[in-house]
Amino acid sequence: MDYLLYNIRLVDVAQRQVRVEPWALVWDQDGIIRDSGPEQVVLLRYPRATRLDGKNSYVLPGLIDCHVHFSAAGHPSKWDDLTLSVPEMTARALVHAKRTLYAGITSVRDAGSPFGIGVGVRRAIEHGWHVGPHMRVAGTPFSITGGACRSR
């Protein structure tokens, strides 16, 4: 089944412009964009697609965050990182992955997480067990003794 999003404004970063004429996107059930173009042309090409009115909203390509730590608490206090179990830290990382994707960030580089949590989150996303952005994972961080990557 194909889905057709019409009545949108496309942010075209390659051309450095916003397409102000009505535009349309078509994607399949796997979320792969198959076609895009002027609304009237695309509407004719996909008469059986499920149509969704974009209501004049803007569509832009996914954003990339090159430095995340999904397993971390996300605030200055390290207390959570010292008291949570590995399964609890993994659950928190999955929540952070979902929030990141829903904020429009479609790719991240997890710059380090303990106990292989980043690798596990990436695999859960790749297998379709959980939603989240495409991930590049650095693995377990390391530093000098007493450095920024102290273990528990």
Side-chain angles (χ1 to χ4, degrees):
M1 171 179 273
D2 292 327
Y3 300 91
L4 190 151
L5 179 63
Y6 67 96
N7 193 20
I8 59 171
R9 305 292 178 250
L10 182 71
V11 178
D12 184 343
V13 293
Q15 298 296 320
R16 296 179 180 234
Q17 66 180 351
V18 175
R19 303 231 179 229
V20 293
E21 73 275 10
W23 204 257
L25 287 173
V26 176
W27 69 96
D28 61 23
Q29 66 271 9
D30 294 326
I32 306 298
I33 295 176
R34 296 176 40 161
D35 199 0
S36 72
E39 183 178 295
Q40 294 304 317
V41 174
V42 176
L43 286 170
L44 291 173
R45 278 191 231 153
Y46 296 89
R48 293 192 175 119
T50 300
R51 297 178 183 207
L52 305 167
D53 187 350
K55 299 180 181 174
N56 250 347
S57 58
Y58 288 80
V59 175
L60 69 149
L63 303 173
I64 300 171
D65 189 336
C66 293
H67 192 130
V68 301
H69 298 280
F70 282 161
S71 63
H75 52 75
S77 170
K78 296 293 183 192
W79 184 250
D80 280 352
D81 292 338
L82 298 173
T83 58
L84 293 181
S85 67
V86 174
E88 289 169 322
M89 289 176 72
T90 303
R92 179 175 61 193
L94 290 167
V95 169
H96 289 172
K98 182 178 180 179
R99 286 180 184 163
T100 298
L101 179 65
Y102 288 176
I105 298 172
T106 58
S107 294
V108 299
R109 180 183 63 128
D110 189 308
S113 59
F115 312 111
I117 292 172
V119 174
V121 169
R122 182 191 69 208
R123 288 181 181 161
I125 293 167
E126 288 174 349
H127 289 299
W129 302 336
H130 200 273
V131 297
H134 172 78
M135 293 180 67
R136 293 284 185 190
V137 181
T140 302
F142 63 93
S143 70
I144 61 170
T145 302
C149 300
R150 293 181 294 274
S151 63
R152 305 199 224 194

